[in-house]
């Protein structure tokens, strides 16, 4: 009985917020690629802001996966 409770607690490391973080990371990556592909004139401020945001989200996702999911 106690082993089943411990197994249930261990299996629930991934929360719904984690899935939203991954989805937002994918959306930011898609936006970053679209900004880089803009043809006549590129918005340098938007590209920089998106690059910083994408880097931060990728770092948070890396920490989330290695420290929380794999722990």
């Amino acid at each position: 009985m106690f082993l089943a409770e411990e197994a249930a607690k261990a299996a629930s490391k991934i929360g719904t917020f984690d899935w939203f973080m991954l989805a937002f990371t994918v959306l930011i990556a898609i936006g970053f690629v679209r900004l880089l592909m803009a043809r006549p004139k590129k918005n340098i401020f938007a590209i920089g802001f998106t690059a910083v945001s994408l880097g931060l989200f990728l770092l948070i996702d890396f920490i989330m996966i290695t420290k929380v999911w794999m722990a």
Side-chain angles (χ1 to χ4, degrees):
M1 192 73 156
F2 294 113
L3 292 174
E5 288 179 19
E6 290 297 322
K9 287 180 186 176
S12 64
K13 288 184 180 180
I14 302 173
T16 54
F17 180 74
D18 298 340
W19 295 113
F20 279 111
M21 286 293 293
L22 291 172
F24 281 125
T25 304
V26 169
L27 286 175
I28 292 172
I30 291 170
F32 183 65
V33 169
R34 288 189 58 161
L35 282 170
L36 290 176
M37 296 296 180
R39 274 298 152 199
K41 187 175 178 185
K42 295 182 188 304
N43 188 347
I44 302 299
F45 177 76
I47 291 171
F49 187 84
T50 307
V52 170
S53 299
L54 182 60
L56 181 66
F57 270 75
L58 287 173
L59 176 69
I60 292 170
D61 289 340
F62 176 75
I63 292 171
M64 176 180 65
I65 291 170
T66 58
K67 304 286 185 195
V68 177
W69 293 4
M70 301 291 186

